[in-house]
Amino acid sequence: MNRILKILFGAAAVTFLIAPLFAILPLAFTDSIFLTYPMPGWSSRWFEELSGAEVWRRSIINSLIIGGGTTILATTLGSMAALGLRHHGLFLCGSLRTLFLLPMVVPAVVLGVGMQLLFAQLGIANSYLGVIVAHTVVSIPFVMVSVSGALRGIDQRVELAAESLGASPFTVFRRITLPLAMPGVASGAVLAFATSLDEVVLTLFVAGPNQRTLARQMFSTLRENISPAIAAAAFLFIVGTLIFGLVIMLTKRQSLTVKA
């Protein structure tokens, strides 16, 4: 009975999370100018608008540039933070871990105002670098949590055995620790990319007109005119994130197969 209840609860939770997607995604293929059901017909006109309209095309390119930069920077820094805080005996380990996780709980508006003032002083306001740094700040906690979970699953006796055989710390990290933690690193990279794609509030504060991302364009379109082009953009959001995650996972699996 407990197992059945767990299965039912899990199915209900998954349905609650996925149902909105199934409700909005088909509207990306409607031939109507309104987001309504039932759909009068099927059409790809809204995807053509995304690729043809300069404002949408530019926002997609900006999202890829900013998302890619954020993924690289956040994955690197988050993985380094997880490695540095791996040993609980480190001085102020708990406080430092809390510090890294703060961007997850601090309101985005507060972060946005603070970053806007700081970036103006640094001269990176309204620039791609400023937006990438802002997105990296809110993405690092997700990477660190993912990599920390992977590191906790590594048997440290394997690393000690490599050290006892004369391997240097860097060799142990490159040949033992990093390959074993790679699933967590890959998951963190996917989360960082998805977080960057979805971030709107920080982008409103730190981005200029030339750094308008897809999420910001969708937000602006919602305020001005609700168009099925938003559903088409959401479709690209979801499909792009899934493809990005699958590529990373397949690459990691192939790497593990080659090493084996």
Side-chain angles (χ1 to χ4, degrees), residues 149-193:
L151 290 174
R152 281 194 294 269
I154 298 177
D155 190 348
Q156 295 189 2
R157 290 177 296 182
V158 179
E159 298 169 306
L160 294 175
E163 292 179 356
S164 67
L165 294 174
S168 64
F170 178 75
T171 301
V172 173
F173 168 75
R174 182 172 61 88
R175 301 293 296 274
I176 305 295
T177 307
L178 185 59
L180 293 176
M182 189 55 68
V185 176
S187 300
V190 174
L191 289 173
F193 186 74

Side-chain angles (χ1 to χ4, degrees), residues 213-224:
T213 62
L214 184 57
R216 180 178 175 184
Q217 178 60 30
M218 292 173 65
F219 179 77
S220 300
T221 304
L222 281 173
R223 296 182 60 188
E224 299 167 1

Side-chain angles (χ1 to χ4, degrees), residues 244-259:
F244 182 74
L246 287 175
V247 168
I248 289 181
M249 296 304 176
L250 291 176
T251 302
K252 172 55 186 170
R253 179 173 296 181
Q254 183 178 5
S255 176
L256 289 176
T257 302
V258 172
K259 290 180 181 294

